[in-house]
Amino acid sequence: MSALRRPTRLPFRVELARQLSQWRVRIALIVLAVLPVVVRIALLVGGPPASSRSGTTDLTALAQVSGGTFAAFVLVLTGGFLATLVAALLFGDLIAGEASRSTLKYLLTVPVPRLRLLAVKVQVATVLLVAGLLALTLVALLVGVLSYGAGGIQVPGGPRLGFGDSVLRLLAATGAAIVGLLWAAALGTLLTVVSDSPLAAAGGVVLASILSRILDQIPALGDLRVVLPTHWSTAFRSFLEVPVDLAPPADALLSGLLWAIVLGALAAWRFTRKDISG
């Protein structure tokens, strides 16, 4: 009898398959993978840029200069709100999705400890988010190289970087963009254990992002804006500039970790006390 009550570990691969079976997750990942192609088609339809001089400060005008610049343009284009939306969908579906499908109580009667279940789900969602953003960057680089050649990033108003240096910078910028989504992942985890609707949980993250971005545009708030979760959302762009300023990414990492620790702890506390009867 004791053997039947022994807690069961939820295998990572099983949870990965479960999350990939959800249409919200598949659509989010597909959008990230095909977005560079959509951007390339849009630039093709729009014709050549109005200016492609190296002295311009507009990355949009330089997007078609080289493959590396195109990849940087796609990352800048999607590394903010769209990436936040994808994180909201991935993490907002973790527990609320199971509750909406009435499968959560069956998972917990296997039995799988609640914190173990939550931890594995968060791990899988994190892997999917990282994989999605890496796919975005790599596909953008591939599309850019095939379309505009294997040239490095043309820094607006600055030099043309080497291709190898550009690849490293793009990967570093992608990593920094992921760090900038820690708050969204943590808030999505909290909302998914509070709500029984995955769309409501994801919508809460999106709403928080919109409010944070609006407040961040109010100069009267002064230094108070640094505590806003989206204040450092563009810190990843430092790796696409010359010289690289590591201060913004470091601040983004500190801010993201603080938000993740606080919101993650609240999510774990709430989930251990959540009434699951339906």
Side-chain angles (χ1 to χ4, degrees):
M1 188 68 175
S2 59
L4 295 177
R5 295 180 180 178
R6 185 177 303 163
T8 302
R9 295 174 60 87
L10 178 64
F12 181 90
R13 65 181 183 278
V14 173
E15 178 56 29
L16 177 62
R18 287 176 61 85
Q19 291 197 30
L20 286 175
S21 68
Q22 304 306 315
W23 64 267
R24 299 182 189 90
V25 174
R26 292 199 297 264
I27 289 177
L29 296 179
I30 290 173
V31 167
L32 288 178
V34 303
L35 187 61
V37 178
V38 175
V39 174
R40 172 67 179 100
I41 294 174
L43 293 176
L44 187 64
V45 173
S51 172
S52 60
R53 301 187 308 272
S54 61
T56 183
T57 58
D58 185 9
L59 186 61
T60 304
L62 297 171
Q64 302 180 65
V65 168
S66 65
T69 311
F70 174 80
F73 170 67
V74 172
L75 185 58
V76 169
L77 191 67
T78 61
F81 184 76
L82 178 60
T84 302
L85 177 59
V86 172
L89 290 173
L90 290 177
F91 287 86
D93 188 72
L94 297 184
I95 302 300
E98 300 288 356
S100 66
R101 295 186 294 271
S102 300
T103 56
L104 181 57
K105 63 178 181 179
Y106 298 108
L107 281 176
L108 295 176
T109 55
V110 171
V112 177
R114 292 194 179 196
L115 291 183
R116 168 65 183 174
L117 174 66
L118 183 61
V120 173
K121 283 183 168 292
V122 169
Q123 291 169 16
V124 172
T126 301
V127 168
L128 291 176
L129 179 61
V130 172
L133 289 179
L134 281 177
L136 168 73
T137 301
L138 295 178
V139 172
L141 187 60
L142 176 61
V143 171
V145 169
L146 293 176
S147 302
Y148 308 114
I153 298 173
Q154 173 62 61
V155 178
R160 171 81 68 87
L161 303 177
F163 185 74
D165 185 22
S166 298
V167 172
L168 293 177
R169 284 171 176 263
L170 286 169
L171 293 177
T174 303
I178 294 171
V179 168
L181 296 174
L182 285 175
W183 75 269
L187 180 58
T189 303
L190 174 60
L191 294 180
T192 196
V193 303
V194 172
S195 173
D196 289 335
S197 169
L199 292 181
V205 177
V206 173
L207 179 59
S209 176
I210 294 174
L211 291 177
S212 177
R213 294 173 191 275
I214 291 175
L215 293 175
D216 199 31
Q217 299 301 314
I218 302 178
L221 292 178
D223 292 339
L224 292 176
R225 292 180 293 176
V226 300
V227 303
L228 295 173
T230 60
H231 182 74
W232 306 104
S233 61
T234 60
F236 69 94
R237 299 185 185 183
S238 295
F239 292 103
L240 307 176
E241 301 172 351
V242 176
V244 176
D245 184 5
L246 294 178
D251 290 333
L253 175 60
L254 177 60
S255 175
L257 288 176
L258 289 175
W259 279 107
I261 291 173
V262 173
L263 296 178
L266 287 174
W269 176 83
R270 179 66 181 88
F271 189 50
T272 57
R273 291 160 176 79
K274 183 179 178 67
D275 180 24
I276 302 173
S277 56

